[in-house]
Amino acid sequence: MRRFVIASLALIACGGAAPAPGSNSAESKSDETRIAKALAGFTPGKPVDCISQYRPEYSTETIGDSILYRFNDRLIYRNKTSGRCDNGRTSDTLVVRNFGPRLCRGQIIQTVDLFVGFQTGGCALGDFTPYTKAK
């Protein structure tokens, strides 16, 4: 019984020792600064549930818990995910298993290490907020 009490107290004492990933305020401030820089000069619009992924060309950038879909010089969609698809590893890439022509809120995205092929994380998509730049 004594061992059980000691073990329980040790677990309780160590329970709050490690901060949750992404809870670092300096890290989140840095992420928000990078997002603000990427969206500088753009005006946010009304969020939508889905976007077409079959446009001529687009690129993605993952910053913290946001994914930026850049379709051209005047249109960027920001998706604030639940979870972090960006864990700071440069060898990770986003993998989407899509069964249609659109990316929609609630879809799961996985991150995979390109060098070893292991899944390293994942997140669920949120609403897509369009950011446009005037001509």
Side-chain angles (χ1 to χ4, degrees):
M1 181 70 174
R2 182 176 176 197
R3 288 183 188 166
F4 177 76
V5 171
I6 292 172
S8 297
L9 289 174
L11 286 173
I12 291 170
C14 295
S23 66
N24 186 347
S25 63
E27 181 180 318
S28 63
K29 193 171 196 175
S30 171
D31 291 343
E32 288 302 320
T33 302
R34 288 178 54 205
I35 290 170
K37 185 177 179 181
L39 297 174
F42 287 81
T43 305
K46 183 180 178 186
V48 295
D49 291 340
C50 299
I51 60 171
S52 173
Q53 71 174 11
Y54 294 120
R55 299 220 180 180
E57 184 177 312
Y58 70 91
S59 63
T60 61
E61 180 180 4
T62 307
I63 303 172
D65 63 353
S66 293
I67 302 173
L68 302 179
Y69 294 89
R70 184 179 302 272
F71 285 99
N72 55 43
D73 292 337
R74 289 192 299 243
L75 177 62
I76 300 173
Y77 283 93
R78 179 183 181 185
N79 189 288
K80 192 161 182 174
T81 63
S82 61
R84 285 182 63 103
C85 280
D86 174 23
N87 60 8
R89 296 170 51 148
T90 57
S91 62
D92 284 359
T93 190
L94 299 177
V95 175
V96 180
R97 287 185 172 81
N98 204 7
F99 300 103
R102 302 185 310 166
L103 293 172
C104 293
R105 179 175 36 135
Q107 279 185 274
I108 304 296
I109 292 183
Q110 298 172 333
T111 56
V112 175
D113 186 309
L114 290 177
F115 294 119
V116 294
F118 291 133
Q119 181 178 337
T120 56
C123 59
L125 293 175
D127 288 330
F128 293 88
T129 304
Y131 286 79
T132 56
K133 183 184 273 189
K135 291 183 181 183

